Amino acid sequence: MIDVVIRGGTLVTPSGQRRADLAIEDGRIREISAEIPGGREEIDATGQLVLPGVIDVHLHFNEPGRTEWEGAATGSRALAAGGGTLFFDMPLNSTPCTVNAPAFDRKRAALEASSITDFGLWGGLVPGSVADMAEMAARGVVGFKAFMCNSGLPEFPRADDVTLLDGLREAARLKLPVAVHAESEELTRGLGARLTSRTVRAFLESRPVVAELEAIQRALLLAKEAGASLHIVHVSCGRGVALAAEARAQGTDVSIETCPHYLFFTEGDVERLGPIAKCAPPLRAAGDRDGLWGELGRGRVHIVASDHSPALPSMKSGDFIAAWGGIAGVQSTLAVLLEEGYHKRALPLERISTLVAAEPARRFRIRGKGSIEPGMDADLALVDLNRSVTLAAGDLHQRHPLTPYVGYAFRGAVCRTIRRGVTIFHDGRITATQGGTLIRPS
Ligand SMILES: [Zn+2]
């Protein structure tokens, strides 16, 4: 017998939107058709969209070791409340950092015990970890993450160019992508040393667009030389996307990620909001934000991910220069894309679904996820596209309710999130404990 039937929703599928019933059996999509009889559980989705669950390829849940900052229990609940069913955890901000196989095993065990969504793990590319990459690949990492500038954590040092080139070559051999945080160490360190005040403006001037462009350019060159797949995380401006897109047109295997906050906020907002909106690269001028939307509309941005990077409340207040750089917005990715993309800029729903589900699954070779088709995992987000919700701190499921999105209205409310056939979020409430499992590239 069929386990669940979702009735009357508008499915956003790879071949377009379709009003149909959807049957789930053993956690997978069994059938899609005009009318499906029976079902142990019936879900009425009349008037709702049925989207593939969000796959957030970039976030920091800090477990094990820094669960007082977030943790996978709270973090995965927040992801689920935003329509998410799978995340890839970055190798840093946990202790230990995921830079070898034993650290991978510890994080896997911790996340399996606490996450309500599925998860994949990034491995770390730091000086000295190249020799551990093969073992991390055998464990199932989705790729390797490197910082081209200071990461902010001494235990995760930046990859100098030699480490980066060696790591790219090893990753190419292992057929896995390398993700880079692309900001120039030379420029950010040198300009940072020149700070004459501790204001937001001074910080912004110490991390200019050119520092990002220089690092993107260098990463592209090294990746091409190594024959590696490159994933550039959190590109903050249209000019960065254009640079990578040119290299891609010339044959470099590069994918481009941006984050909701670069699409939503500008540097004026960080001056107004203070440390809660501090991140690196920083929020940019309106022209750069608009350039990013232009590139996204042209299809040259491939993935949107949250880069949820929480910290203790004490680290997100006070002196701006000393404050933690990281925006904690894991719950708002889909909301931002629906409000700012679909409603305000006529970005098609199929495009949004591709940015947060289909392309993450394709780029990182996650079989069985990322789209609504028979045989795929039943990872779904049911959304009321026209219901407007003004985000309140009390709506947040993350550990510390600190996000710059509080107080903004978003049209497009997640009503229910389903992970492999199980409802994990419904009408504002989390309805699962645990159940998340490690997902590996195929
Ligand atoms: Zn990050």
Side-chain angles (χ1 to χ4, degrees), residues 2 4-9 11 13 20-25 28-36 41 43 50 372-374 378 380 418:
I2 286 166
V4 185
V5 178
I6 300 173
R7 295 203 183 282
L11 313 183
T13 75
D21 291 354
L22 182 152
I24 301 171
E25 197 173 68
R28 294 215 177 93
I29 299 170
R30 162 74 188 270
E31 185 188 349
I32 294 170
S33 63
E35 219 163 305
I36 298 173
E41 184 186 351
I43 294 171
V50 182
I372 296 178
E373 292 169 273
L380 305 166
I418 298 172

Side-chain angles (χ1 to χ4, degrees), residues 207-232:
R207 302 192 89 103
V209 167
V210 69
E212 186 176 354
L213 300 181
E214 190 280 329
I216 289 174
Q217 184 80 278
R218 187 154 31 92
L220 289 165
L221 273 173
L222 295 175
K224 188 168 195 186
E225 179 67 22
S229 298
L230 182 69
H231 179 67
I232 306 178

Side-chain angles (χ1 to χ4, degrees), residues 58-60 90-93 145 147 181 233-234 257 259 280 306-309 325-326:
H58 182 167
L59 51 72
H60 306 259
M90 281 293 171
L92 71 161
N93 304 8
K145 165 76 178 293
F147 269 76
H181 176 130
V233 301
H234 53 50
E257 167 198 305
C259 309
S306 71
D307 191 13
H308 179 73
S309 181

